[in-house]
Structure formats: structure tokens, C-alpha cells
Amino acid sequence: MWQSAPPFSELLAACQHSAVHLEMRDHYDDPDEAPRVAAWKAGHRPDPDDRSTWWRPWLDMVAETVSRGVAIRRARIVSEPVSEYTRYLYDGTFTNVAAGEQIRWLPRRKSSDLALPGNDFWVFDGRLVRFGYFSGEGTYLGDEVTDEPAVVKLCADAFDSVWSRATPHEEYRI
């Protein structure tokens, strides 16, 4: 069944084993993130020694979830050369890793023979999918969740295919 998604924090709080996320866009236009992007463009970089300046509340939620034994993995399919926005993400990804996320990068040209859903998604515990919808300019438009077995399998298999080819963050270079 397809339905409006509950708040993301509720989905992650209910997660018991795994949460996987596939990102396939080269740019997201999130008004809440705009100040961080502007600061990055002006030369600011997160300070590895000052966790209080890192992205909150996301990283706290990740750390709490991982501390409960939930594996959080994120794969990003990116065009190369990477977009300015992807470079911004890359420069801050060490904070996600420090919070407990496992992150890998896959150049888009290496995904051509993979069957991928048309939208970014999360799969929670291999039983529920949350699709995120974005405009062509990257503006967030909303989301839906479904527990339809065929859709869950499609997304889980797509994620696993990307994950197996992707390069761990620590090894990926832009």
C-alpha cells in the first residue's frame, strides 16, 4: 500500500536492523541546507575536531540509531566530473561517517547496466520503502512509503547492486 510518509525521525526510530539510502541526483535544493552550502562556497569547511558545528539534528539521530545496532548505509550515484553540490557533499561526508553511516560513491557511468527506481529512496529493515520526490531543480516535493513486496525487493536489489560496485568514501576521490 502507498501512503504519505510519517516523519523521517519516526521511520528511523522504528528501524531495528538496517536503513539503506540511494541518492541519484547531482543537486538538491534544500532551503534548510542553503546556509551551509553558502558557507561552504565561501570557504568554510566542517572542523573535524569540533563536532558541535556539524549538521544537527541529523548526525545525532544517526549516532543514536547506530548505537542501537542498526546499520545505516548510503550510496550516491554521481556524475563525473562531479557537480559543485556533490563536491560540497563530499567535503562534509566525513561527519556522516563519524556518526556511524557507511557511505559509498558510484560514478554514474558505472551504473548504466543496473535496474534502478526512478527516485531516491530509503529501505527500512528490508520491509518498507520511502521514496523522496524532487523537482528538476532539486526542490523537495514530498515523499511516500510503501510496503509492497515487489517494490521493496526492487529497491533493496537496486541498492545492493550499487553498493557492491561503489567505492567506500575513504577511497573515493573527486
Side-chain angles (χ1 to χ4, degrees):
M1 170 175 33
W2 290 79
Q3 58 190 16
S4 296
F8 188 84
S9 57
E10 289 179 21
L11 292 169
L12 205 53
C15 201
Q16 298 177 16
H17 307 289
S18 67
V20 301
H21 183 35
L22 183 59
E23 295 178 346
M24 298 181 280
R25 299 184 54 86
D26 288 321
H27 178 80
Y28 296 88
D29 186 15
D30 178 353
D32 293 336
E33 188 177 47
R36 290 190 302 275
V37 174
W40 176 85
K41 286 180 180 181
H44 172 76
R45 298 297 181 267
D47 181 349
D49 297 322
D50 186 4
R51 288 181 178 232
S52 69
T53 63
W54 296 0
W55 180 24
R56 304 287 186 228
W58 174 253
L59 297 174
D60 294 328
M61 191 168 40
V62 167
E64 187 280 324
T65 302
V66 170
S67 74
R68 291 189 288 110
V70 175
I72 299 178
R73 297 183 295 158
R74 179 189 307 253
R76 292 177 171 144
I77 297 175
V78 295
S79 299
E80 291 181 325
V82 300
S83 68
E84 181 181 48
Y85 182 83
T86 298
R87 190 173 297 281
Y88 155 76
L89 286 178
Y90 181 85
D91 284 350
T93 293
F94 78 90
T95 64
N96 297 70
V97 172
E101 276 190 74
Q102 301 170 55
I103 298 180
R104 293 187 180 183
W105 303 80
L106 181 66
R108 190 170 310 283
R109 72 181 184 284
K110 293 183 179 181
S111 69
S112 296
D113 61 341
L114 300 178
L116 301 170
N119 296 288
D120 290 7
F121 62 84
W122 283 87
V123 178
F124 299 95
D125 289 333
R127 62 170 188 75
L128 183 72
V129 176
R130 176 192 174 268
F131 287 103
Y133 303 122
F134 298 86
S135 74
E137 297 298 322
T139 304
Y140 174 72
L141 300 174
D143 48 50
E144 288 181 300
V145 295
T146 184
D147 60 358
E148 290 184 17
V151 176
V152 172
K153 182 176 180 355
L154 170 74
C155 292
D157 289 350
F159 181 86
D160 288 344
S161 295
V162 170
W163 189 258
S164 69
R165 288 187 185 182
T167 303
H169 176 70
E170 300 77 22
E171 299 170 23
Y172 183 70
R173 300 293 173 255
I174 58 172

